[in-house]
Amino acid sequence: MFEIKWRRTVAATALVLSLTAGAGLALPAQAVAVPAATSVPALRVAGYNVDGVTYTKWNANRATLGNPISSKSCDAVSCSQRFQRGSIIWTQRTGAQMVLSYAIGARYSANGWTKGPLGFPLSDEFRLDVRGGAVQKFQNGSVYWSSATGAHAAMGAIKGYFAANTYERGFLGYPRSEEVAVTNGVRQDFEGGKAYWSSSSGRVFVTTGGYIQTYYENKGGAQSSLGLPTSNKTAWQGGYYQRFQGGVITWGPTTGARSIDAGHFTTLAGSFGKYGWPTRDTWKDTTGTHTQFQTGIITTGAPPVTPPPVTAPLIPAPLVTEPSADAPGTSVYPFTSVEATATSVVLYGDSQLDGDSWSEQGARALGFTDQASHLAFGGMGYSTSSPWAGGTGWTALQQGLVPFPGGTPGLVLVSLGGNDATTWKSDAQVIADSSALWAKLKLMYPQSRIVINGVMSRSDSSHVQRRHIDDVLAANAAKDGVTFISVAGLASTADAQYLDNVHLAQAGHDAVAALYIPKLAAALGQ
């Protein structure tokens, strides 16, 4: 039963102003001014009043929002009211806008709602032409959604670069992550590359899929001596180069990817015909700094020296099958220069490691506070390939494409299998690839605790295959003698909030973490 009452807002406002002035009082500087109107209806629905500009917005979007589930709440700046499928938020500057209770609204909530960095909404959510995505604009950024990437915010200088390159229509595509802090800057992952913002220069550059990006990440990325990119990848001499704070990475068609001294690259750029492509990374010793090329050597800081033997490229080009890292005469793995310690956790997995994930929270709660080795690749499974990893979870590890740290981490946590469920990989394939991956990790970190997480899932019918893969992995881990934690149905037990059908919102990660921490503690005997 609807009850409509008409309120004369202008008259009411005038009366308040008159009484206030007559009493010698001033209105608060940030008081919310009632939007001008001659008359606005107030409708009572499901026990709640809907009035003013909120009514106008709701009345035009009743089917989308549903009935009210709370009264309107106002402070000195804004008013908001919740409905069955979203909220209406109003400020005098931004007007009345809807935030729906789906992936974009969940991301906005995870980022702090109106008190977070995004500020107040400037628009409703609207659809985009590229692969059926969606976006909503806010005062300090926008939240983009696609079925392949989930919902992620783009803000600040990285959003400016994203805009300059035609948003999701450009080579970057949709954002795949939130911004994450790196040494001296910020990184955000997109479908078409990874954008880096430098706190010293204020500029944004990207690395894009290929040998240079893979080589850079194998070296440790922004945490390595190379630092942040200072240019984008540039085609040159039939190959490519990209500048970084600590040097230049080149890729030649027969020599592969190499990192060389920036000054040596300047010399090479003026005399490429004399030197050709570098055949190994720049090295330093007591006699100077040296770079070996196809037909010469550049040495600075000392007289030229006899170069050491030329080694095979780290990433050959064209890519060929490399010998197994376990074969006689080869090292166990091409570790990065990062040295993990007893307080380090190495996280290897898929996009379930996005944000401050339940895995990270669990490790941190048990004392593994060094989480720099966060190796998450969207779309990857034990048997499912990810373009950002350069292969499946197993083959990327087998070929040395993943930047695992050296040293002895206190804990290695693996979270894979969800994408194998999504792509319906056979049980036999998942069993074979998971066994190979686990065995390899044991060789790489013989003194570390290795724990395998199952596949995060709900208890409903849409997650039946995810729960099945969790069972398959549990049985295989028991056979292989590997520590395993089943998380089948844990999201339902935690009543966890999702961004979409498979990705947890930050609040969902937090809820699951509370149940996961004791499971991890038990697995570690704590």
Side-chain angles (χ1 to χ4, degrees):
M1 188 84 180
F2 295 134
E3 180 184 357
I4 300 180
K5 298 180 179 179
W6 292 87
R7 296 180 177 174
R8 309 294 288 186
T9 58
V10 172
T13 303
L15 178 59
V16 171
L17 292 172
S18 174
L19 291 173
T20 303
L25 300 176
L27 285 173
Q30 292 185 328
V32 177
V34 178
T38 55
S39 59
V40 178
L43 186 64
R44 188 168 182 82
V45 181
Y48 298 100
N49 288 336
V50 186
D51 58 18
V53 290
T54 303
Y55 169 82
T56 303
K57 187 71 173 182
W58 172 73
N59 191 45
N61 297 277
R62 289 192 188 191
T64 300
L65 287 164
N67 287 334
I69 58 172
S70 75
S71 299
K72 183 162 66 175
S73 174
C74 296
D75 58 24
V77 176
S78 65
C79 292
S80 64
Q81 186 165 5
R82 292 188 297 121
F83 297 82
Q84 289 172 310
R85 292 180 290 277
S87 298
I88 294 176
I89 301 172
W90 173 89
T91 74
Q92 189 166 20
R93 178 171 296 181
T94 61
Q97 311 295 343
M98 295 187 297
V99 177
L100 301 179
S101 301
Y102 303 116
I104 287 179
R107 174 58 66 189
Y108 182 48
S109 177
N111 283 353
W113 201 247
T114 60
K115 304 298 184 184
L118 285 165
F120 290 98
L122 295 177
S123 74
D124 297 336
E125 177 180 321
F126 58 92
R127 291 293 171 183
L128 298 170
D129 293 334
V130 178
R131 298 189 302 281
V135 67
Q136 184 162 12
K137 297 180 179 180
F138 297 86
Q139 287 176 306
N140 303 314
S142 298
V143 176
Y144 288 83
W145 172 89
S146 79
S147 59
T149 59
H152 297 288
M155 296 183 285
I158 289 180
K159 188 202 173 191
Y161 185 92
F162 184 44
N165 287 276
T166 64
Y167 297 103
E168 75 285 351
R169 301 184 301 278
F171 76 95
L172 284 170
Y174 288 99
R176 294 182 54 247
S177 76
E178 299 298 290
E179 291 186 353
V180 294
V182 296
T183 302
N184 299 319
V186 168
R187 188 195 81 222
Q188 184 166 17
D189 298 351
F190 292 80
E191 291 178 300
K194 299 183 179 182
Y196 293 84
W197 171 80
S198 167
S199 58
S200 59
S201 71
R203 301 189 66 185
V204 176
F205 295 101
V206 301
T207 60
T208 53
Y211 294 111
I212 287 181
Q213 178 172 276
T214 302
Y215 182 93
Y216 175 56
E217 293 178 352
N218 279 346
K219 287 288 187 180
Q223 274 65 249
S224 72
S225 60
L226 285 164
L228 297 169
T230 57
S231 78
N232 290 338
K233 184 169 66 176
T234 303
W236 181 69
Q237 300 291 346
Y240 296 92
Y241 74 86
Q242 185 164 7
R243 297 181 183 274
F244 295 82
Q245 291 171 324
V248 180
I249 298 178
T250 65
W251 179 85
T254 61
T255 57
R258 305 293 181 195
S259 63
I260 68 172
D261 177 80
H264 291 187
F265 179 78
T266 299
T267 301
L268 172 65
S271 305
F272 184 80
K274 176 181 177 181
Y275 293 104
W277 290 100
T279 56
R280 63 164 294 175
D281 293 352
T282 294
W283 76 97
K284 295 182 179 182
D285 56 28
T286 57
T287 64
T289 301
H290 322 282
T291 305
Q292 174 69 54
F293 298 88
Q294 289 173 307
T295 55
I297 184 171
I298 296 175
T299 294
T300 54
V305 297
T306 303
V310 175
T311 58
L314 174 63
I315 303 176
L319 186 64
V320 297
T321 302
E322 298 178 357
S324 167
D326 301 329
T330 63
S331 62
V332 174
Y333 195 82
F335 296 108
T336 70
S337 59
V338 175
E339 288 290 314
T341 67
T343 61
S344 304
V345 57
V346 176
L347 297 133
Y348 185 41
D350 54 25
S351 55
Q352 288 294 330
L353 295 175
D354 282 352
D356 186 19
S357 68
W358 50 272
S359 294
E360 292 163 272
Q361 293 186 49
R364 193 164 57 244
L366 296 181
F368 302 101
T369 54
D370 174 11
Q371 303 189 350
S373 296
H374 184 273
L375 310 174
F377 302 93
M380 185 176 73
Y382 287 105
S383 308
T384 305
S385 182
S386 165
W388 297 281
T392 68
W394 161 232
T395 60
L397 181 65
Q398 181 189 38
Q399 296 174 19
L401 301 180
V402 184
F404 278 93
T408 303
L411 178 63
V412 178
L413 269 180
V414 179
S415 298
L416 289 169
N419 291 299
D420 297 319
T422 301
T423 56
W424 291 88
K425 298 299 182 188
S426 70
D427 292 358
Q429 186 67 59
V430 173
I431 289 169
D433 290 342
S434 61
S435 288
L437 187 150
W438 300 340
K440 179 67 174 178
L441 287 174
K442 289 179 180 179
L443 286 173
M444 292 164 58
Y445 301 114
Q447 305 302 318
S448 301
R449 292 298 305 271
I450 299 174
V451 175
I452 310 303
N453 289 327
V455 180
M456 180 58 60
S457 62
R458 300 189 300 269
S459 300
D460 58 63
S461 59
S462 69
H463 278 201
V464 63
Q465 184 64 10
R466 296 176 70 85
R467 297 194 299 275
H468 172 72
I469 293 296
D470 186 282
D471 290 341
V472 168
L473 293 171
N476 196 40
K479 174 181 69 67
D480 290 353
V482 177
T483 302
F484 182 84
I485 299 176
S486 173
V487 291
L490 197 64
S492 290
T493 305
D495 194 21
Q497 186 178 21
Y498 274 75
L499 292 174
D500 51 33
N501 190 46
V502 296
H503 295 100
L504 292 167
Q506 186 57 59
H509 282 289
D510 297 343
V512 166
L515 302 181
Y516 174 72
I517 289 169
K519 287 178 174 285
L520 180 59
L524 296 175
Q526 296 188 16

